[in-house]
Amino acid sequence: MAPSGSPAAARRMSSLGVIESSCLGVAAAVWLIPASIEIVAWPSTGPVRVALFAPAARLWLLLTLGLAVPAVLCYLRRGPASVTHDGDRAALARSLAPLLLLWLWTVPYWPWLPDRAPVLLILAGPFRWAIAAVAVARVATLSARSAGWRPALPRLSRGAVFVTTLGVYAGLGVWSLQSVGIGGDEPHYLIITHSLLADRDLQIENNHRRADYGSFFNGELPPDYLRRGVNGAIYSIHAPGLPALLLPAYAIGGVRAAIVVMCLLGALAAVAVFDVATRLGGSAIGLATWVSVCFTVPWVPFSWSLFPEMAATAIVAGAVRWLVDSRHDSSGGAAPAEREKGPYLWLWRGTCLAVLPWLHTKFVVLLAALTAFLLLRLRHRLLSAAAQLLPIALSSAAWIAFFYVLYGTPDPTAPYGSYADATVRLANLPRSLFGLLIDQKFGLLVYSPVYLLTIAGAWWMLRDRGLRGLAMMLLLTAAVFVASTGRLYMWWGGTTAPARFLLPALPLVVPMIAVALARVRSGGARATAALLITFSLVVAFVGVLWPQARLLSSDAHGIARLLDAMQGSAPAALALPTFTEVDWHTPLLRLVPWLAAALLAWGLGLFVSRQRTGSSLFWIGAVEATVFVLTGSLLSGPFSAAARAETVRLGRSGLMAAANPDQVRGFDYRRMARLDAAGLLSLSALTLEWRSSGTGDDGGSGGPFSLPPGRYAARVWFDGGGRQRDGDLLLSLGRGNIAARAAGPLGNPATLTFDLPIAVRAALELSDPQTARAARTAEIIPLAIVPEPQRLILPAVAIEPVKDREGAYLVYTDDNTYPEGGVFWTRRTARGRVFVLPAGASQMVLTLHVGPNGGLVRIDAGGERLDTELSPNETRRLSVAVAPGATAVPISVEAPGWFVPADVEPGSRDLRSLGCQVRVELHE
C-alpha cells in the first residue's frame, strides 16, 4: 500500500477525482435534458433569464448515483490496491475524462456569466447534443483501445473511392428527393431537359403551359426568362448544357435518374480530388483530403442537386489533376501515361473543358485560365496542344453562334436583358467576397472551416520551388473566377445551400489542403486541423440528416436556418455577420470578436502543445473549441435594440413551447425565485412591432411568431385615438391561409381570441390596408397552453375550422391542396394530404366533386381505402366511421385529372389547376 503522501497516492486521488467529476457531469447533464433557459426581457441593465428545470429531487438522486458509480467502478475488486489496480484506475480515468465536457451544459444556467455573454445560451440549445456526441464518441474510442482495438488506416483504391462516394451521394440524393423534392432553379433546368426530350427544342413556354413539370415538381412553375428570342419564343434564362447532360438519364428514369447523374459527376470529381491529394502527400493524405472535401459543404448537398456547379466542378477537378500530373516535367515533355495515349488524350480533355461555357456563362473564365495553363504545359508538344485546342475553339464558336441565332446578338449576356447591367458590377465585389467566405447563411468558412487549411498549404507551396508554379496557376485561376463571380449583386445564388458559386473553384485549392495536411507537424497545428475537419464533417452530417428541415438552405434575408435550429434561446445568429443586405461595413464589425477569439484559441492550442508535449490532440482541440466559444461570446455585443427585442420574442416563444407543468419548474434569475404556472404565462406574452411589408400594397403585419397548441388573445393598437377601424383582424399562416378572424369594425385595441389545435408559425394581419398602416404594436397573450407531452404534432401549412363542429379542424400538411373554408381542392393529380381533428365526432362525411374530369378518385381516409369512380361533374358523398378517441384522422385524395376554371367557365379568372373537390362534415 503506497503512503498517503506518495506520488502514487496522489495519482490515485487524481484518477478518482477525474472519474467522480466525469460521473457527476453525466448526472448534471441528464438532469438538464428537459431543462431550457430563455431571455424574456432585455433592458439596458442586461438580459433577464427564466429557466425551466426538472424537479430538484431528481437532481439529488442523480448526483447521489454519480458519486456511487465511481465507488463501484474503482472498488469492485477487493484486496489491497496494487500497481495493476492503480493502472486500471488511471486507464478508467482516461477513458471517462471526455465526459468532463458535459459540464459545459451547465454554463448557461450559471448566475452571472451568461448575462455578460448571452451567446453562451447556445450551450443549452440543440448544440449541446454535439458536445455530448463528441464526448461519447471519444469515450467509446478510448474504451475500445483499452480493450486492444487498434484500427488500421484503410488503403482505398481509386475504384473504392468512386464506389463509396457514388453510393453515399446517391443514397442521400434519393432520400432528399423523396423527403422534400427539388426546388430553387432545379425544376427550371429539368423543364429544359423535358423540352429537349418531348419537343426537341429549347422553347419552354408550351411546356410550362401544359404543366409538364408536374411529374417532378409540386407547385406552380412560371417560365424563368427575362427576354424573348428573336422569334418571339421563350427560352429559359438558364444555360442548356446541364439539361443536355441530363437528357439520356431523364429519358430513362426521370428525375431520379437525373439526380444519379449528378451523383456520378460528384463521384468523378471526388476521384480527381483523391488522386491529386495522393500524388502530393501519399495515400493517407489522399484519404484525409477526400473525406475533408467531398463529404463537407458545399460538395454536400450540391453533388446531388440539379445545378450546373457540380458538373463544372468535376471538369475543373479533372483539369487540376492534369496540371498536377505534368508538374514534374519542367521540360514540357509528356508524362509516361500521356506519351502512350498521345494527342487523343488531350482531344478528350479539350472536349471536357469545352463544355464549361454551355453550363453557365460565368464558367468561361475557368475555361480561359485552365486552357492557357494547360497549353503552357504543352508548349513543347504542339500536336497535343492543337488536339486540346480544337474542340475548345469549335465549341466556343458554336456557343457564340447560339446567342446570335436565339437573340440576334453574339453577346452571352443577352438572355439576361438589362438585368446584368444593373446587378453585375465591380462595386459588389467586397460585399460578395465577405459573403461568400464568412456570411452566416452562405459563407464557405462558416460551414466548412477546413478550407482555412488553404492558407497554410498555399504558403508552403509558394515556398517550395517544385510546387510554386502549380500554386501560382491555381491561385490565379481561383482569384479571377471568384472576382468575376463576385460582381453579381445576388452573390449567394438564391435560396440554396452555402457557397454554391464557389464550388467550381474549390478543386483549385485541393492541392493546398493536401499539402497542409501532409506538412503539419506540431501537436497544436495537428489538433487545429483535426478540429476544423471534424467541425466541417459534423455540420454537413447535421445539415443532411433531416432533409425536411432544409438546414443548409437559408433565405436571403434573416438568419441561417441551421444556426436558428441549433442556437436555442441564444442570440448567436445576431452576433454573426451576414452580407445579403446592401450595407456590408456594419456586419463586418461583428466578425472582429470571433476573429480575435479564433486567434486566441489557436495560440492557446499551440502553447498547450508546446508546454505539455504529451497532450492528446483531442484535448488540445477541446481547449481550442471551448476558448473560441467562450471568448467570442464574451466579446460579442453590444446588441442593438432590435436584436434585443428579437431575442426576447424568441425567448418568450420558447417559454411557451417548453410549457410542461408536470415535468419542469420555472425559475426567475432576476428575482432568484421560483415561478408558478401563472407567472410563466405572464412572462410568455409576446409584444410585437408592426412591420411594413415594404411593397406599399398593404400595411404589413405583426410577426411572424411561433405558437404551441393552446388558447390565446391577440391585441393590436393603432395611432389616432379610440375611433373604430374598418377591416378584419386576421391570424394568418401565410399564402392566404387564415386560421382565425375578428370581424370589424375594430376598436383600439383590436382584439382576437383564438384556439390552436397544433403548433403553427403565424402572423397578425389586417384586411384593410389603411387600417393596417395605422397599426403600431401588437401583443399575443397566452391564456392556456397545452402541456408539451399532450400536444398533437402535425406539420401544417394551413388550418381551418370544420363548419358546425366546435373544436374540429382541417389541418393541411402540404401544398397539394387549395383550402377554401372547410372545403378544399387538390392540385392537379398530386396527392393532397389533410388531417381532420374530429373533436369527438363518430362519423365523417366526404362530399367529392371532380368538375369536367371523370375517372377514378383515389382516397384513403383513416386507413380505409375508398377509391371511387366519378363521372364528369358528378358529386358523391362517402361516409367514414371515426375510431373512438381518435384525435386526428388522415385523409389523402388523388384526382384522375385536372382543369383550369378560367378555361371552362366563362368569365372566370381562376387560373388554378384543380383536381378533386372535397367537403368535410362531422356528425355524432
Side-chain angles (χ1 to χ4, degrees):
M1 177 79 67
S4 60
S6 68
R11 286 194 294 271
R12 283 200 302 273
M13 294 303 296
S14 175
S15 297
L16 183 59
V18 171
I19 296 171
E20 288 182 344
S21 297
S22 299
C23 292
L24 289 175
V26 173
V30 171
W31 182 65
L32 289 174
I33 287 176
S36 61
I37 189 163
E38 314 289 346
I39 295 175
V40 298
W42 200 336
S44 58
T45 54
V48 176
R49 290 176 294 146
V50 168
L52 295 176
F53 291 115
R58 191 180 303 175
L59 173 62
W60 297 120
L61 175 61
L62 289 168
L63 291 177
T64 302
L65 291 174
L67 290 172
V69 168
V72 173
L73 291 175
C74 294
Y75 298 102
L76 188 61
R77 291 184 0 179
R78 300 187 179 276
S82 63
V83 174
T84 303
H85 194 172
D86 290 342
D88 290 344
R89 186 180 300 165
L92 179 61
R94 285 193 298 271
S95 296
L96 295 181
L99 297 176
L100 292 171
L101 292 177
L102 294 178
W103 282 106
L104 291 172
W105 282 32
T106 68
V107 172
Y109 303 95
W110 293 1
W112 173 80
L113 184 61
D115 294 332
R116 175 62 185 84
V119 175
L120 287 176
L121 297 188
I122 194 174
L123 299 175
F127 179 74
R128 61 182 175 163
W129 294 107
I131 299 173
V134 170
V136 171
R138 181 61 176 175
V139 168
T141 301
L142 292 176
S143 300
R145 288 180 180 176
S146 298
W149 178 62
R150 294 291 185 271
L153 191 66
R155 296 180 63 87
L156 294 181
S157 65
R158 299 176 73 243
V161 168
F162 175 78
V163 172
T164 302
T165 309
L166 179 59
V168 172
Y169 287 169
L172 291 173
V174 173
W175 185 25
S176 176
L177 177 66
Q178 293 174 342
S179 302
V180 297
I182 60 176
D185 289 337
E186 292 179 286
H188 291 288
Y189 283 107
L190 217 51
I191 196 68
I192 302 174
T193 304
H194 186 88
S195 181
L196 288 171
L197 177 64
D199 305 330
R200 294 178 175 79
D201 62 29
L202 295 172
Q203 300 175 16
I204 59 173
E205 186 172 11
N206 62 320
N207 305 104
H208 285 272
R209 188 185 304 113
R210 295 194 307 256
D212 290 343
Y213 50 81
S215 62
F216 52 78
F217 180 71
N218 290 330
E220 302 295 331
L221 189 72
D224 198 2
Y225 75 104
L226 294 173
R227 174 180 174 180
R228 288 181 179 267
V230 292
N231 59 355
I234 291 179
Y235 299 95
S236 177
I237 196 175
H238 303 287
L242 180 64
L245 287 176
L246 300 177
L247 180 59
Y250 179 80
I252 297 172
V255 61
R256 282 182 174 81
I259 287 176
V260 172
V261 169
M262 299 306 303
C263 299
L264 177 64
L265 293 170
L268 291 173
V271 171
V273 167
F274 176 77
D275 286 344
V276 167
T278 301
R279 283 162 171 72
L280 292 175
S283 59
I285 298 303
L287 176 64
T289 306
W290 166 59
V291 172
S292 303
V293 170
C294 299
F295 296 106
T296 58
V297 175
W299 296 65
V300 171
F302 286 115
S303 291
W304 57 83
S305 301
L306 301 176
F307 293 103
E309 275 74 15
M310 182 45 68
T313 301
I315 296 172
V316 174
V320 172
R321 185 175 62 188
W322 307 333
L323 286 170
V324 171
D325 285 345
S326 59
R327 80 185 194 283
H328 65 280
D329 197 345
S330 58
S331 65
E338 295 177 6
R339 291 194 192 99
E340 295 177 3
K341 298 179 181 178
Y344 298 104
L345 175 65
W346 287 100
L347 182 67
W348 165 248
R349 291 175 174 180
T351 302
C352 293
L353 289 172
V355 174
L356 283 170
W358 293 96
L359 297 172
H360 198 288
T361 297
K362 63 186 176 184
F363 297 148
V364 71
V365 174
L366 292 171
L367 172 65
L370 293 173
T371 299
F373 290 133
L374 286 169
L375 288 175
L376 182 63
R377 295 291 196 191
L378 297 173
R379 61 187 181 275
H380 299 297
R381 301 171 57 202
L382 297 182
L383 189 57
S384 294
Q388 175 195 315
L389 200 56
L390 177 62
I392 295 174
L394 294 176
S395 175
S396 299
W399 182 62
I400 295 297
F402 170 80
F403 296 104
Y404 184 81
V405 171
L406 264 61
Y407 298 100
T409 174
D411 183 4
T413 65
Y416 302 95
S418 59
Y419 176 81
D421 296 334
T423 61
V424 181
R425 298 178 178 179
L426 284 174
N428 295 326
L429 194 55
R431 169 174 161 270
S432 298
L433 290 178
F434 286 125
L436 286 167
L437 293 176
I438 57 176
D439 182 88
Q440 64 165 273
K441 300 187 291 291
F442 305 105
L444 174 68
L445 299 181
V446 174
Y447 291 81
S448 292
V450 65
Y451 286 96
L452 286 170
L453 296 176
T454 300
I455 301 173
W459 171 254
W460 274 315
M461 289 183 71
L462 291 172
R463 295 183 62 188
D464 187 321
R465 180 175 299 177
L467 296 175
R468 186 178 302 153
L470 175 64
M472 293 177 66
M473 291 179 184
L474 298 178
L475 290 174
L476 181 59
T477 303
V480 172
F481 174 72
V482 172
S484 175
T485 302
R487 296 177 301 154
L488 181 64
Y489 175 86
M490 195 177 69
W491 55 265
W492 57 92
T495 302
T496 184
R500 171 185 162 191
F501 288 169
L502 277 183
L503 180 57
L506 296 185
L508 299 168
V509 302
V510 164
M512 288 79 169
I513 294 176
V515 169
L517 292 176
R519 300 196 180 187
V520 66
R521 292 291 182 268
S522 70
R526 291 167 58 204
T528 301
L531 179 62
L532 297 177
I533 293 172
T534 301
F535 181 87
S536 303
L537 290 171
V538 169
V539 167
F541 174 77
V542 172
V544 301
L545 192 59
W546 297 282
Q548 300 88 338
R550 297 183 179 271
L551 295 179
L552 293 178
S553 298
S554 299
D555 296 326
H557 307 289
I559 64 177
R561 194 168 291 169
L562 177 62
L563 190 55
D564 185 34
M566 298 297 291
Q567 69 178 350
S569 60
L574 301 174
L576 294 174
T578 180
F579 297 89
T580 51
E581 308 298 337
V582 175
D583 174 25
W584 58 270
H585 299 87
T586 302
L588 195 59
L589 297 176
R590 298 181 196 155
L591 176 66
V592 175
W594 299 102
L595 182 59
L599 293 174
L600 177 63
W602 180 52
L604 186 60
L606 293 178
F607 175 79
V608 170
S609 67
R610 291 174 180 174
Q611 295 298 313
R612 299 178 61 88
T613 54
S615 299
S616 71
L617 299 185
F618 173 82
W619 283 111
I620 296 174
V623 168
E624 288 181 336
T626 302
V627 170
F628 174 74
V629 173
L630 291 176
T631 306
S633 301
L634 282 168
L635 296 179
S636 294
F639 293 91
S640 66
R644 297 198 303 270
E646 178 68 7
T647 301
V648 169
R649 184 184 69 80
L650 293 175
R652 294 190 169 209
S653 295
L655 204 60
M656 285 190 277
N660 186 5
D662 295 334
Q663 296 294 326
V664 291
R665 311 288 187 267
F667 185 82
D668 187 345
Y669 276 81
R670 175 176 51 185
R671 298 187 294 111
M672 298 301 288
R674 294 181 179 179
L675 286 168
D676 58 15
L680 286 172
L681 282 179
S682 65
L683 288 175
S684 301
L686 301 179
T687 300
L688 310 166
E689 293 295 325
W690 202 264
R691 297 179 180 178
S692 171
S693 64
T695 63
D697 296 332
D698 55 55
S701 63
F705 46 81
S706 298
L707 297 176
R711 185 171 179 80
Y712 300 88
R715 294 187 291 187
V716 178
W717 282 267
F718 305 95
D719 286 341
R723 67 183 181 87
Q724 291 188 325
R725 306 278 177 169
D726 295 332
D728 300 339
L729 175 59
L730 313 171
L731 181 71
S732 171
L733 303 185
R735 290 187 258 185
N737 298 314
I738 306 303
R741 178 189 303 265
L746 304 173
N748 193 3
T751 303
L752 169 64
T753 302
F754 57 92
D755 293 285
L756 292 176
I758 61 172
V760 299
R761 183 168 175 81
L764 292 175
E765 295 180 357
L766 290 156
S767 61
D768 184 78
Q770 184 175 353
T771 300
R773 282 189 285 271
R776 288 297 172 261
T777 59
E779 187 177 28
I780 306 292
I781 304 168
L783 304 178
I785 299 177
V786 177
E788 194 270 338
Q790 302 175 22
R791 294 172 190 169
L792 183 63
I793 308 300
L794 294 174
V797 297
I799 301 175
E800 290 183 336
V802 177
K803 187 178 179 181
D804 299 328
R805 186 77 183 184
E806 184 176 357
Y809 293 88
L810 290 176
V811 179
Y812 300 89
T813 61
D814 56 38
D815 294 323
N816 292 336
T817 53
Y818 297 109
E820 294 183 347
V823 179
F824 66 89
W825 283 91
T826 61
R827 187 187 63 82
R828 296 198 196 93
T829 57
R831 181 173 290 271
R833 293 178 173 84
V834 175
F835 281 87
V836 179
L837 311 187
S842 60
Q843 201 74 14
M844 179 170 62
V845 176
L846 306 179
T847 303
L848 309 180
H849 178 71
V850 291
N853 297 297
L856 181 66
V857 180
R858 302 183 184 277
I859 304 175
D860 187 298
E864 182 180 354
R865 294 293 301 186
L866 300 172
D867 295 354
T868 303
E869 186 80 27
L870 294 179
S871 301
N873 295 310
E874 181 183 356
T875 298
R876 188 175 302 181
R877 290 165 61 89
L878 303 176
S879 182
V880 182
V882 178
T887 57
V889 180
I891 299 176
S892 66
V893 182
E894 184 178 339
W898 57 276
F899 69 99
V900 176
D903 294 339
V904 298
E905 300 175 9
S908 174
R909 297 184 179 180
D910 189 348
L911 298 177
R912 296 177 301 170
S913 303
L914 306 181
C916 177
Q917 185 191 64
V918 182
R919 182 184 301 274
V920 179
E921 302 172 42
L922 294 169
H923 305 285
E924 295 296 342

